[in-house]
Amino acid sequence: MWGGRFDEGIDALMARFNNSFPFDQRMWREDIRGSMAWARQLAQAGVISAEERDTLLAGLTAVYAEFDEGRFEARPADEDIHTAVERRLGELVGAVAGKLHTGRSRNDQVATDVRLWAIEAIRRIDDGLRTLQQALLAQAEAADDAVMPGYTHLQRAQPVLLAHWLLSHFWPLQRDRERLADCAKRTAVLPLGSGAIAGTPLAIDRAALAADLGMAAISPNSIDAVSDRDFIAEFLFCAALIGIHLSRLAEDIIIYSSAEFGFVVLADAYSTGSSLMPQKKNPDSFELLRSKSGRLTGNLVTVLTVLKGLPAAYDKDLQEDKEPLFDAADTLELALPVATGAVATARFRHDRMRAALDDAMLATDVADYLVMRGVPFREAHHVVGRLVREAEQRGVALSALPPGVFLAAHPACGNDILQVFDIDRSVAQRRVPGATAPEAVREQIAQARRYVEER
């Protein structure tokens, strides 16, 4: 494709080092789509005849079929997917294949291919996120009004509905979907027509070309267009954050599935055993989900590091953008269905969650009781703190302290203070939007349902 300038062939190791076909061949659909659209524009601009256009389109259709059916035979000289497609096209249609690259560079060609590929990857990953959201939502609906301990710092904090906790993992995924949708807008910008750096001299209708390829806009600057990989970095950031959200969900499930908690039992289909200890049932599905976040974050760091010192326009360094992109998409397209299946088949033990609740988790309710009787919150907080310490020293539950102890702690403590020690009452009082009361959670479920019904 570029050998006319050189007297000697490329070194064998250099060829292997330089060639990207082993990994960029997966963009064959996008490369052929872009070439078909370019052939139509070449004819529209009067560069090739209608007959030549039809010959090129027929040949490209045949190459597409070979890839699609697994019949395409690569050659050692296929430097990249563009070279491979053009080489095979020439074998099928003859010299007219050499006209296809008129006015086009591999710089704007690859930038177009990878954008088209990323758009489809975003759609697939969004579908995976939405399906996982549906699994979380189904579990939240099935949980009804079951109560569990809520934790901060991994210490018992306040009682919450199980559904409320499940939905706490729904909303990060919704933000992930919104970020991906926003990323897709900046990805759907057409570089084709930018040439190598200065743009094409041909009368190409770039707006029509963009519409032909399903792009929403055309790039405004040809130098920027061939080197812009912001959309890949943005996609990889989205992927890394999805990985972190999956990891946090996984960490909760791993902890809650341990014998010490026993809040959740994972299906055998998403667990593994031990090669030594027959009793073990390991949450490997979630442990692997937790570990994949490191891989996804690494892909983002790789691309940012490649981009950070590049001069304007295209540089060969940009060949390193694709493997992290492909790996991130592949990782999520496997991880998300596994997460969905593991969540959907998990069994939550409401009895174990209920048994893990204790009176100390209602300490804030006692403080609120005092506040409603005119005690400043900071004072109430100190009073209840002393009561908690007193209960610990006596080795009894907070509610088991004698009434005289409460009265001695503060004169605002009345005979009705023990009514505060009701888990369900505590949960039901927190009814503002976004809180854990059953009515608030039901509204949250309805809101979540509306989101998953939108694509």
Side-chain angles (χ1 to χ4, degrees), residues 96-339:
V96 69
K99 294 189 176 185
L100 180 60
H101 206 60
T102 306
R104 183 173 66 165
S105 166
R106 281 191 294 178
N107 295 358
D108 60 348
Q109 189 177 356
V110 69
T112 300
D113 288 1
V114 74
R115 284 177 181 270
L116 291 171
W117 193 93
I119 289 169
E120 291 304 315
I122 287 170
R123 289 174 181 161
R124 294 191 300 270
I125 292 167
D126 180 72
D127 283 342
L129 288 167
R130 180 171 174 267
T131 306
L132 177 53
Q133 285 181 306
Q134 289 173 322
L136 288 165
L137 184 55
Q139 287 281 18
E141 290 171 330
D144 196 23
D145 292 345
V147 182
M148 67 177 289
Y151 295 86
T152 66
H153 307 272
L154 261 184
Q155 305 296 313
R156 291 176 182 173
Q158 291 178 288
V160 297
L161 291 190
L162 168 59
H164 194 52
W165 170 79
L166 285 161
L167 290 171
S168 75
H169 290 288
F170 176 98
W171 297 110
L173 302 178
Q174 182 59 31
R175 295 193 295 273
D176 290 328
R177 294 184 66 197
E178 291 167 5
R179 268 185 290 271
L180 281 173
D182 204 41
C183 176
K185 295 175 186 177
R186 282 181 287 279
T187 303
V189 176
L190 180 75
L192 201 54
S194 298
I197 183 172
T200 181
L202 308 178
I204 297 295
D205 185 342
R206 295 189 68 213
L209 187 59
D212 193 357
L213 291 171
M215 296 287 206
I218 61 174
S219 57
N221 182 285
S222 60
I223 300 175
D224 176 57
V226 297
S227 61
D228 173 20
R229 297 298 187 272
D230 290 4
F231 68 98
I232 293 181
E234 188 173 354
F235 172 86
L236 292 175
F237 171 76
C238 294
L241 201 50
I242 292 168
I244 287 169
H245 292 151
L246 292 177
S247 181
R248 296 188 69 192
L249 168 64
E251 176 70 2
D252 273 0
I253 294 289
I254 290 165
I255 292 170
Y256 293 162
S257 67
S258 66
E260 286 72 18
F261 282 77
F263 292 175
V264 60
V265 177
L266 300 183
D268 289 353
Y270 294 95
S271 306
T272 66
S274 165
S275 63
L276 178 65
M277 297 168 283
Q279 84 281 9
K280 293 294 295 299
K281 183 178 182 180
N282 300 324
D284 282 12
S285 54
F286 286 103
E287 290 178 359
L288 287 169
L289 286 168
R290 185 173 58 185
S291 71
K292 295 297 183 183
S293 64
R295 183 184 190 124
L296 292 165
T297 301
N299 286 327
L300 171 61
V301 173
T302 294
V303 167
L304 290 176
T305 305
V306 168
L307 296 177
K308 72 174 183 62
L310 297 186
Y314 183 83
D315 301 278
K316 191 71 170 185
D317 312 52
L318 294 174
Q319 185 166 289
E320 293 298 309
D321 63 351
K322 295 168 199 63
E323 289 179 286
L325 170 65
F326 297 156
D327 182 76
D330 290 346
T331 298
L332 287 176
E333 287 181 60
L334 181 57
L336 287 169
V338 169

Side-chain angles (χ1 to χ4, degrees), residues 30-49:
E30 292 73 25
D31 194 75
I32 294 173
R33 279 182 62 201
S35 291
M36 286 179 162
W38 188 250
R40 287 188 284 268
Q41 274 300 309
L42 288 176
Q44 186 70 28
V47 178
I48 61 175
S49 67

Side-chain angles (χ1 to χ4, degrees), residues 156 357-363 366 387-403 405-406 418 421:
R156 291 176 182 173
L357 299 164
D358 62 42
D359 286 351
M361 299 180 70
L362 300 179
V366 179
L387 287 168
V388 169
R389 186 175 64 229
E390 179 70 20
E392 289 177 346
Q393 290 172 346
R394 293 185 181 214
V396 300
L398 187 60
S399 61
L401 288 173
V405 174
F406 284 99
L418 293 182
F421 295 99

